[in-house]
Structure formats: structure tokens, C-alpha cells
Amino acid sequence: LIGGGDVRATYAAVCLFDDCVEFCGRNAAREVTPTLINGILVGLNDSTNGGDDELKQAAVYGVIQVSLNSPPDCLVPHASNVVNAISSITSQPKELCPSEALFENCVAAMA
């Protein structure tokens, strides 16, 4: 999930890890969260996500799932980057966001 240049493969992997954290229980979440966080950081960063809004949306959804299902300190080292990336999306009107679902995920993640 480090990127490797294949944005669509990164998107698929982030979606898979999002689902694992959400549906496979706390032990699985604890196990895969460090890898998912790498994908989240790739997906949120415009210099590494290839401009792919679906990857960005999956990354934000991953933030939500990590916050809900993983140990509470997992996102702490990355909080500044995550909050800045998400707030840059929510600071604009919803109509200007490239995707309504991306905007809504960002609002949910900030909550």
C-alpha cells in the first residue's frame, strides 16, 4: 500500500483493508491497521494519489474505520497530515468537491 505507481491497485488494496478493519473484528483491525494507515496516507496525499478521487474517498473511509475499530493511538502519529488533508476538502463548499460521497466521508471523519 505504499503506492508503487499503480493508483488503481492501491485503491483496491485500500478498499480491501478498509473492509477488513470494519468487518473482521478488533484483532484483525489491530493486525492490519498499520498497513492500512500507509494506504490512507498515500490516498490522502495529492502528490501520491494520482489525482484519483476514489482512492482519496477510500482513504477517508479508512480513517473512519480505523477511528472506530482500531486501537485509539493508531492515528496519533499521523493526525496532523490526516486532519489537514480532510479539512482542505471540507473547507470548500460541497458543490465544489469533485465527489459528494468524498465530501460526506470527510465530514463523517471529522466528526
Side-chain angles (χ1 to χ4, degrees), residues 15-108:
C15 288
L16 178 68
F17 277 82
D18 284 354
D19 287 349
C20 186
V21 170
E22 182 175 10
F23 296 114
C24 294
R26 295 221 181 257
N27 289 336
R30 185 178 305 112
E31 188 75 26
V32 302
T33 291
T35 303
L36 176 56
I37 288 175
N38 288 331
I40 287 169
L41 296 174
V42 168
L44 291 177
N45 187 330
D46 288 333
S47 70
T48 57
N49 67 18
D52 191 301
D53 291 325
E54 288 180 316
L55 173 55
K56 189 179 284 190
Q57 180 180 335
V60 174
Y61 191 77
V63 170
I64 296 166
Q65 295 311 314
V66 168
S67 297
L68 293 173
N69 299 300
S70 298
D73 61 342
C74 289
L75 283 173
V76 171
H78 313 287
S80 179
N81 290 336
V82 169
V83 169
N84 287 338
I86 292 172
S87 65
S88 73
I89 296 166
T90 59
S91 65
Q92 61 185 332
K94 183 177 185 176
E95 298 77 30
L96 296 180
C97 189
S99 160
E100 184 175 317
L102 171 60
F103 188 88
E104 290 174 358
N105 278 2
C106 288
V107 170

